[in-house]
Amino acid sequence: HIWSVGVLAQAMLLGNSASNEDVQQLMASELWSARSSHSRSFVEQMLRPASQRPTAAQALHHPWLKSTVIPRGLSNAVPSGEVTEKLMCYMLAILLVPVELAQRDLDRLRADFARVDQDLDGFVPRRTAHGLLVLRGSIESQAAAAIEVADVRNTGVLDFSSLAAAALFTDMLPDSPKVYKAAELQERLKTLFFEAFTDEDDEALEEVPIEVLRERVMTSVGKLMEKYGGIKYA
């Protein structure tokens, strides 16, 4: 299936399809000069030998798809601003996880994630991530709301950094069946962000200096996020 995706993508991008014999020839074609480096990288990965190809979840998170594919479920009834709000929530959460989650909590979450990542591709389905949050102590509605925001582009899978963000979201959502929008969570996260990264004397500060951010996120939890979540704070 992954090979077929690569063949289809190459056919749409270049107007030519590949066979086992001419993959390398087509990948070196001058036709790629009119295409982006991300699109070429995507096709190249899809057409690698079977043992080297990405899983479907990894393919969904390739930079080319993440920058060009409209998130699943978007329509005229769903404002595009909602995606931006989810992304802002995710970015704030990634900065807040190192100062708000305990190392023991993140260690357990990582161990649980590794246990259910059966194909070892670094992603788990949303329903599995939901179960991990419930196991952590969240109620069903909290977990569902957190997963909905953490899966920013609606790919149906979460990596470890997204799961950690979702764990933080559940700690901030009330124990209530009410459905919370990303915009509401974003405001809560902004408040927590300035509480965490500014001092009382800096109440009027509208921006946090980058050196302050770097210093405060490099906790033991921050180092775990860099190691297992693919995050780079420095």
Side-chain angles (χ1 to χ4, degrees), residues 5-226:
V5 170
V7 170
L8 289 172
Q10 188 169 61
M12 289 187 292
L13 289 163
L14 302 185
N16 293 300
S17 59
S19 65
N20 284 318
E21 292 74 24
D22 60 13
V23 169
Q24 295 303 320
Q25 181 179 350
L26 278 177
M27 290 309 302
S29 171
E30 293 183 359
L31 295 173
W32 283 110
S33 62
R35 301 302 179 187
S36 70
S37 59
H38 280 329
S39 66
R40 183 173 183 173
S41 167
F42 177 80
V43 172
E44 186 275 327
Q45 289 184 31
M46 299 302 104
L47 298 182
R48 288 174 180 172
S51 62
Q52 299 175 26
R53 291 173 205 154
T55 64
Q58 289 172 325
L60 283 171
H61 282 74
H62 188 279
W64 184 54
L65 291 189
K66 293 179 75 172
S67 64
T68 60
V69 175
I70 298 175
R72 173 171 52 83
L74 285 185
S75 66
N76 292 334
V78 183
S80 59
E82 185 175 322
V83 178
T84 303
E85 291 163 357
K86 288 183 178 182
L87 181 59
M88 181 61 71
C89 287
Y90 171 79
M91 294 171 64
L92 287 168
I94 291 302
L95 291 171
L96 285 165
V97 164
V99 296
E100 294 296 327
L101 293 189
Q103 180 174 343
R104 181 173 61 180
D105 190 8
L106 196 70
D107 278 335
R108 179 178 177 182
L109 195 65
R110 182 181 65 82
D112 288 340
F113 183 91
R115 174 175 52 82
V116 298
D117 181 18
Q118 298 180 354
D119 57 4
L120 303 178
D121 69 345
F123 299 95
V124 296
R126 282 174 59 142
R127 64 179 180 277
T128 302
H130 180 278
L132 293 181
L133 294 180
V134 172
L135 180 65
R136 181 175 176 266
S138 303
I139 63 172
E140 295 281 342
S141 59
Q142 286 176 323
I147 293 296
E148 180 62 30
V149 176
D151 185 11
V152 176
R153 299 188 67 82
N154 287 323
T155 58
V157 294
L158 272 71
D159 60 9
F160 179 67
S161 63
S162 297
L163 180 64
L168 179 67
F169 296 157
T170 61
D171 292 344
M172 303 185 66
L173 293 170
D175 185 357
S176 165
K178 176 184 175 181
V179 177
Y180 277 80
K181 297 291 186 180
E184 297 176 82
L185 182 59
Q186 181 181 333
E187 292 305 311
R188 289 169 175 256
L189 287 163
K190 284 181 179 179
T191 299
L192 182 59
F193 175 81
F194 281 99
E195 289 176 352
F197 292 102
T198 60
D199 300 320
E200 292 183 2
D201 296 336
D202 299 327
E203 290 182 354
L205 196 64
E206 295 184 357
E207 295 184 1
V208 179
I210 189 65
E211 59 271 15
V212 173
L213 281 176
R214 288 174 175 169
E215 177 184 354
R216 298 194 182 182
V217 298
M218 288 314 295
T219 62
S220 58
V221 172
K223 292 175 182 177
L224 285 174
M225 286 291 287
E226 286 199 328

